[in-house]
C-alpha cells in the first residue's frame, strides 16, 4: 500500500490541490502563519519534519562520499542559477506576460531549490545527500544571487533579510537532517522501522503545503489561469529537461543527473511567494494591481514542480 501511495504522488498532489481549490480553509491553516508551535510557524515545522525524515535515511558515509566528489554539487548549483532564471525571463518575454506576472515568474525562477525536491529525490531513488547539499548550497548562494538576478532580469531589486534566511535554512534543513542522520547512527534499528512509513508522512505534508499555497491565492489564480498554467509549466518542464540533459553532457552518472534534474526543476516557491508579498518588493510596481499579481506565479509553480517532479520520480523509481 505504501509503495502504491508513493508511486502515485502526482495523482495525490493533484487531488489535494483540487480539494484546496474548493475548500481553501482545509489547507491554508498550514501556510498562513496563524498557527504556531513553540513560537515557530506551522509551515516551518512541517518542512523540518520532512527534512528529519530525509535525514533518517542517510548515514555519515553519504556525506563523506559527497565531500570526496564535489563536481556534481558544484555543477548542480551552477545549473540551478543559470537554467531557471534565464528560462523564466525567456518564457515571460515569449508569452508577453503582464508586468506583475512576468516579475513574479522571474522571481520564483531566481529562487533556490526547494525542500520538496529532497522528498522527490528520495522517491526517485536519487542521491538524497547530494539533493540536501544542493538545497543548502543554493539557498546560501541565493542570499546574493536571487536579488542580483531578479534585479538584472526583472528590473526590480528584491530586498532579502540575509541573516533571517540563513537562520531559517539552518533550522529547517540543516539541523533536522543532521539530527536525523545522528539518530540513524545511534539507533539504526529504530530508524529502519520508522523509515518504512516516512514516504507517506512526507507526501501528506507536501500536499498540505502545496494545497495551502494554492488555496491562499485562489482569486488571483482564477483571474489569470490560462497564461499562468502555461508559463509555469514551461518554466519547470524546461528546468527538469535541461537539468538532466546538461548534467549528462557534463559526464555525470544517471543517479546524479536525476538528482540535478529534480533540484534544478523544483524551486522554493514558498520563498518566492513570501518575497513577492513584501512591501519593499511591492513598491517596485507602478500599480497595486500589478503588485498583487507578483506572488501568484509562485503558487502555480508549487503545483507544477511537484506534479512534474513526482511523475518523473515515479517513472525513475520503476526503472530502478
Amino acid at each position: 500500500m505504501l509503495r502504491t501511495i508513493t508511486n502515485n504522488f502526482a495523482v495525490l498532489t493533484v487531488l489535494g490541490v483540487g480539494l484546496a481549490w474548493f475548500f481553501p480553509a482545509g489547507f491554508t491553516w498550514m501556510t498562513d502563519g496563524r498557527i504556531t508551535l513553540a513560537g515557530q510557524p506551522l509551515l516551518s515545522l512541517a518542512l523540518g519534519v520532512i527534512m528529519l525524515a530525509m535525514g533518517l535515511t542517510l548515514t555519515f558515509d553519504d556525506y563523506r562520499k559527497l565531500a570526496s566528489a564535489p563536481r556534481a554539487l558544484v555543477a548542480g548549483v551552477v545549473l540551478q542559477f543559470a537554467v531557471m532564471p534565464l528560462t523564466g525571463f525567456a518564457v515571460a518575454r515569449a508569452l508577453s506576460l503582464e508586468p506583475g506576472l512576468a516579475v513574479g515568474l522571474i522571481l520564483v525562477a531566481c529562487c533556490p531549490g526547494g525542500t520538496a525536491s529532497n522528498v522527490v529525490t528520495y522517491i526517485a531513488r536519487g542521491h538524497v545527500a547530494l539533493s540536501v547539499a544542493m538545497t543548502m548550497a543554493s539557498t546560501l548562494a541565493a542570499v546574493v544571487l536571487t536579488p542580483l538576478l531578479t534585479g538584472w532580469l526583472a528590473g526590480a531589486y528584491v530586498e532579502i533579510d540575509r541573516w533571517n534566511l540563513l537562520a531559517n535554512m539552518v533550522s529547517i534543513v540543516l539541523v533536522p537532517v543532521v539530527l536525523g542522520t545522528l539518530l540513524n547512527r545511534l539507533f539504526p534499528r529504530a530508524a529502519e522501522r520508522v523509515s518504512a512509513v516516512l514516504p507517506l508522512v512526507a507526501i501528506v505534508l507536501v500536499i498540505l503545503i502545496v494545497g495551502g499555497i494554492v488555496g491562499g491565492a485562489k482569486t488571483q489564480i482564477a483571474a489569470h489561469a490560462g497564461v499562468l498554467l502555461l508559463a509555469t509549466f514551461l518554466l519547470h518542464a524546461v528546468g527538469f529537461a535541461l537539468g538532466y540533459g546538461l548534467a549528462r553532457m557534463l559526464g555525470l552518472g544517471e543517479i546524479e543527473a536525476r538528482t540535478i534534474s529534480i533540484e534544478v526543476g523544483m524551486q522554493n516557491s514558498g520563498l518566492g511567494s513570501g518575497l513577492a508579498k513584501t512591501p519593499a518588493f511591492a513598491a517596485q510596481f507602478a500599480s497595486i494591481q500589478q503588485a498583487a499579481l507578483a506572488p501568484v506565479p509562485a503558487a502555480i509553480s508549487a503545483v507544477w514542480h511537484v506534479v512534474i517532479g513526482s511523475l518523473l520520480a515515479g517513472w525513475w523509481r520503476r526503472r530502478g
Side-chain angles (χ1 to χ4, degrees):
M1 182 183 70
L2 289 174
R3 186 179 298 111
T4 299
I5 292 173
T6 300
N7 289 337
N8 288 280
F9 186 20
V11 176
L12 294 173
T13 300
V14 172
L15 290 175
V17 168
L19 286 173
W21 184 264
F22 292 104
F23 307 102
F27 292 82
T28 52
W29 54 268
M30 174 63 79
T31 57
D32 60 14
R34 290 182 295 177
I35 300 177
T36 60
L37 293 174
Q40 293 295 319
L42 193 57
L43 174 59
S44 298
L45 293 174
L47 292 173
V49 170
I50 292 171
M51 299 315 302
L52 176 65
M54 295 302 101
L56 283 169
T57 69
L58 302 175
T59 67
F60 288 106
D61 286 338
D62 293 323
Y63 296 100
R64 282 192 285 268
K65 292 175 183 176
L66 183 63
S68 66
R71 191 162 67 98
L73 174 60
V74 173
V77 174
V78 170
L79 290 175
Q80 171 80 51
F81 287 107
V83 169
M84 294 303 281
L86 293 175
T87 300
F89 177 77
V91 169
R93 290 294 297 271
L95 298 180
S96 300
L97 297 181
E98 294 183 36
L101 295 179
V103 173
L105 185 73
I106 292 170
L107 172 61
V108 75
C110 293
C111 283
T115 51
S117 64
N118 308 133
V119 181
V120 173
T121 298
Y122 172 70
I123 295 170
R125 294 179 177 172
H127 196 320
V128 177
L130 173 61
S131 177
V132 171
M134 281 186 61
T135 298
M136 191 67 187
S138 67
T139 299
L140 294 175
V143 172
V144 174
L145 292 180
T146 295
L148 288 180
L149 289 171
T150 304
W152 174 46
L153 295 172
Y157 187 80
V158 181
E159 294 282 349
I160 294 181
D161 186 338
R162 293 166 171 80
W163 292 111
N164 184 55
L165 177 59
L166 177 60
N168 284 338
M169 288 307 300
V170 168
S171 62
I172 292 172
V173 177
L174 183 61
V175 172
V177 168
V178 173
L179 177 59
T181 306
L182 183 60
L183 291 173
N184 190 11
R185 174 69 176 270
L186 297 175
F187 310 103
R189 292 183 180 178
E192 184 178 0
R193 287 194 294 269
V194 173
S195 296
V197 296
L198 289 183
L200 178 59
V201 173
I203 286 171
V204 170
L205 290 175
V206 169
I207 291 173
L208 287 173
I209 291 169
V210 172
I213 294 173
V214 171
K218 179 179 176 179
T219 302
Q220 293 89 338
I221 292 171
H224 300 83
V227 69
L228 272 171
L229 288 170
L230 178 59
T232 49
F233 171 78
L234 290 174
L235 172 66
H236 292 291
V238 171
F240 280 108
L242 289 182
Y244 181 87
L246 292 175
R248 293 296 279 170
M249 287 178 62
L250 291 171
L252 297 174
E254 173 68 20
I255 301 302
E256 288 77 12
R258 291 181 186 181
T259 305
I260 290 174
S261 171
I262 292 168
E263 281 294 323
V264 171
M266 299 186 73
Q267 300 297 93
N268 191 334
S269 301
L271 175 62
S273 179
L275 291 174
K277 292 178 181 177
T278 60
F281 190 80
Q284 305 296 318
F285 295 93
S287 69
I288 297 175
Q289 290 78 11
Q290 290 301 319
L293 290 177
V296 179
I300 301 297
S301 166
V303 179
W304 270 130
H305 75 203
V306 170
V307 170
I308 298 173
S310 56
L311 285 172
L312 278 175
W315 181 50
W316 278 330
R317 188 179 185 87
R318 286 188 289 271
R319 287 183 60 192

